[in-house]
Amino acid sequence: MNRTLILAVAVVALLAIESTARAQINTVVVRNREGAATSDFKFKVLPSPTAEDLATKATFSIVAGERDSNGGDLEVLNDGRLPGGEDDPRANFFFAAGSEGGRLLVDLGQPANVEAVNTYSWHTDTRGPQVYKLYAADGTADDFEAQPAADIDPTTVGWRQVADVDTRARRGRPGGQYAASIFRADGPLGRYRYLLIEASRTEEVDLFGNTFFSEIDVVGSASTEVADASDPDTGITIVEAGDGKYQVRIDTSDAPDLTRWAATELAPVVQEWYPKIVEMLPSEGYEAPARFGITFTEDYRGVAAAGGSRIRGSASWFRDNLAGEAKGAIVHEMVHIVQQYGRNRRAVPNATRPGWLVEGIADYIRWFLYEPESGGARITARNIDRARFDASYRITGNFLNWVSEKHGQEVVGGLNAALREGRFTNDEWTNATGATVEELAEQWKADLQKAIDAEQDDAANN
């Protein structure tokens, strides 16, 4: 199985389910838009539905909810036959119009190594996208219930939640042909006999929001294949971090060539570093944004900027810097997402929030904690004359790193809390270190000069 390529596309939902070690569960979603979809269900990245998977001989049953009488019976989900068009109700299974959805049970008959669960749908409108939760069980738990009623949380009766799938687009018409694949990047999803799909309606504007499910495949170890995805479709990458506490939506729909990078390289950085940044920058009673978005657009002309719960990045700049500063730039902007220094602006309208310090904290975390080996904020003989503690960005980041090394990393945390709470004054420096910021800056410059002199002496002697 070509695992690297599955990671390359539209949605990556990093969902932890293991009690001892949290494995990465990935959900990849691709879509053939209206006009591009055919009855062959061919996708650039994921395989077409098959009649040779584990689900072919599985037993499907409705645990909660009611089948819509205008749709097909449960057999349409695993018979390998596909709808002939975009509005073919009898070839799709869907829950009753006006209902909130329901639960489908898939019984494989015996435990099996499940590599992936693939779900397919097709409709001209809101019945095209998929919204569901996937649970799995081997059936051996003492409290296991194979058919949990709608009001019972499956995780309380022997099930594990594997994924939370939502293929709805943020903009544009929802119609089209969708494929979602749930898998683990480092091995099978697990050894399971039972799968439970809890489907929800995709909208509440009218009665017709329940997904047209065309086929559900359960892929075993021997039959998993994925097509080449060197040029994937536009997509969304959704990253869950901090044991599911935080969710980050990365939108590369305006720059599809960045999708692979977003899924395989940026997503793991976001997953690891957003919770770290939250932990680094606490203050009493404060909760960092649980959800925020990162969008790459062709019309943004800077590098990147953060505001509220949104980061915008220049697709052209990131395209040119994927092998260099790209990921670090997003780490810098994630610091701004966590800072939220304007949250008390109304309560403390005259609060002091020096811009050089705001940006300096972000670059301190980026250059000295995230990528210290890069040396991107190093001060040398060429720029020491221009180095001021309040020069902002990298230079202030260097100053803050020096202060942290001399007086402890809690100094930056204290400055952050004072800025966020609107009580910052220059006394914060004295209270934390026993010296004014000007005195600290003088000592910093002296130490920088000593280090530069030592380097030059070493170079002269070698």
Side-chain angles (χ1 to χ4, degrees):
M1 171 180 174
N2 187 343
R3 299 186 191 285
T4 58
L5 111 44
I6 300 186
L7 289 166
V9 210
V11 175
V12 176
L14 303 171
L15 176 65
I17 63 169
E18 302 292 342
S19 59
T20 56
R22 300 182 65 81
Q24 285 190 355
I25 302 295
N26 303 286
T27 302
V28 172
V29 175
V30 289
R31 174 189 180 190
N32 291 327
R33 297 178 183 272
E34 295 174 272
T38 70
S39 59
D40 292 332
F41 273 70
K42 290 188 178 298
F43 301 92
K44 288 184 178 180
V45 188
L46 296 177
S48 300
T50 178
E52 299 179 357
D53 64 302
L54 298 176
T56 302
K57 297 181 180 180
T59 301
F60 283 67
S61 58
I62 298 174
V63 172
E66 180 181 349
R67 180 185 74 87
D68 194 301
S69 59
N70 293 311
D73 292 325
L74 287 169
E75 303 88 76
V76 302
L77 294 174
N78 65 334
D79 61 2
R81 300 175 182 175
L82 303 172
E86 58 191 6
D87 191 9
D88 189 355
R90 301 302 297 178
N92 295 280
F93 173 89
F94 50 101
F95 286 101
S99 73
E100 295 302 313
R103 289 177 171 176
L104 293 173
L105 176 67
V106 182
D107 181 357
L108 301 177
Q110 60 184 4
N113 289 326
V114 176
E115 283 276 349
V117 176
N118 301 333
T119 55
Y120 302 87
S121 57
W122 192 13
H123 189 256
T124 58
D125 203 354
T126 54
R127 293 180 170 188
Q130 306 173 22
V131 180
Y132 67 88
K133 295 180 180 178
L134 175 67
Y135 300 87
D138 59 12
T140 62
D142 293 339
D143 59 349
F144 177 67
E145 290 187 20
Q147 300 190 10
D151 60 347
I152 295 177
D153 180 353
T155 62
T156 65
V157 288
W159 292 83
R160 282 181 171 175
Q161 183 175 343
V162 175
D164 194 340
V165 177
D166 187 342
T167 75
R168 292 175 293 188
R170 287 289 181 92
R171 59 182 182 273
R173 292 177 55 83
Q177 196 175 72
Y178 292 81
S181 181
I182 303 164
F183 65 96
R184 248 182 67 178
D186 57 352
L189 281 173
R191 188 168 180 80
Y192 301 119
R193 171 177 173 174
Y194 302 98
L195 300 172
L196 185 68
I197 296 174
E198 183 178 82
S200 300
R201 61 188 302 171
T202 65
E203 52 85 29
E204 297 182 357
V205 177
D206 54 41
L207 301 178
F208 307 109
N210 282 309
T211 302
F212 269 28
F213 284 101
S214 306
E215 191 82 7
I216 297 175
D217 287 349
V218 181
V219 182
S221 299
S223 57
T224 302
E225 292 184 3
V226 184
D228 182 18
S230 57
D231 183 21
D233 288 341
T234 59
I236 304 297
T237 299
I238 298 176
V239 182
E240 291 194 4
D243 294 347
K245 183 176 182 179
Y246 307 110
Q247 186 178 91
V248 185
R249 176 187 174 92
I250 307 175
D251 186 345
T252 56
S253 58
D254 196 34
D257 58 306
L258 296 179
T259 303
R260 176 184 292 274
W261 172 78
T264 61
E265 297 191 42
L266 181 59
V269 172
V270 170
Q271 185 190 39
E272 177 184 0
W273 276 88
Y274 186 69
K276 284 185 176 181
I277 295 167
V278 172
E279 187 176 355
M280 292 173 191
L281 301 177
S283 60
E284 186 175 357
Y286 173 70
E287 291 288 336
R291 295 173 183 267
F292 69 93
I294 303 171
T295 303
F296 297 96
T297 65
E298 298 290 359
D299 58 0
Y300 184 74
R301 297 307 177 193
V303 175
S309 58
R310 182 186 182 193
I311 295 172
R312 294 184 68 206
S314 165
S316 61
W317 185 90
F318 278 87
R319 190 174 291 122
D320 292 339
N321 290 274
L322 294 184
E325 296 190 14
K327 289 178 285 188
I330 294 299
V331 170
H332 175 103
E333 299 303 332
M334 287 198 298
V335 175
H336 290 324
I337 294 293
V338 175
Q339 285 173 321
Q340 297 289 324
Y341 292 159
R343 64 194 300 265
N344 287 328
R345 197 176 301 278
R346 292 184 179 179
V348 192
N350 298 318
T352 300
R353 301 180 181 89
W356 62 266
L357 183 54
V358 174
E359 297 296 344
I361 290 174
D363 258 14
Y364 159 66
I365 290 176
R366 174 197 174 165
W367 292 111
F368 292 94
L369 301 181
Y370 168 66
E371 48 183 341
E373 71 288 345
S374 70
R378 184 169 177 263
I379 295 175
T380 66
R382 296 179 60 184
N383 63 350
I384 188 170
D385 290 340
R386 302 188 303 275
R388 291 179 48 86
F389 73 92
D390 58 356
S392 193
Y393 294 102
R394 302 182 193 214
I395 305 302
T396 298
N398 188 296
F399 171 63
L400 291 174
N401 181 64
W402 178 88
V403 172
S404 296
E405 290 179 342
K406 295 292 184 181
H407 299 279
Q409 289 190 349
E410 63 272 12
V411 174
V412 173
L415 295 171
N416 162 76
L419 288 164
R420 183 181 288 135
E421 294 166 5
R423 56 177 175 80
F424 175 82
T425 68
N426 277 338
D427 290 343
E428 292 294 328
W429 299 99
T430 308
N431 295 336
T433 69
T436 66
V437 67
E438 292 80 10
E439 291 169 338
L440 292 168
E442 186 176 347
Q443 297 167 24
W444 164 64
K445 288 289 289 285
D447 282 356
L448 285 174
Q449 190 62 62
K450 288 179 182 178
I452 291 170
D453 291 343
E455 287 181 4
Q456 291 177 336
D457 289 343
D458 288 342
N461 294 326
N462 290 330

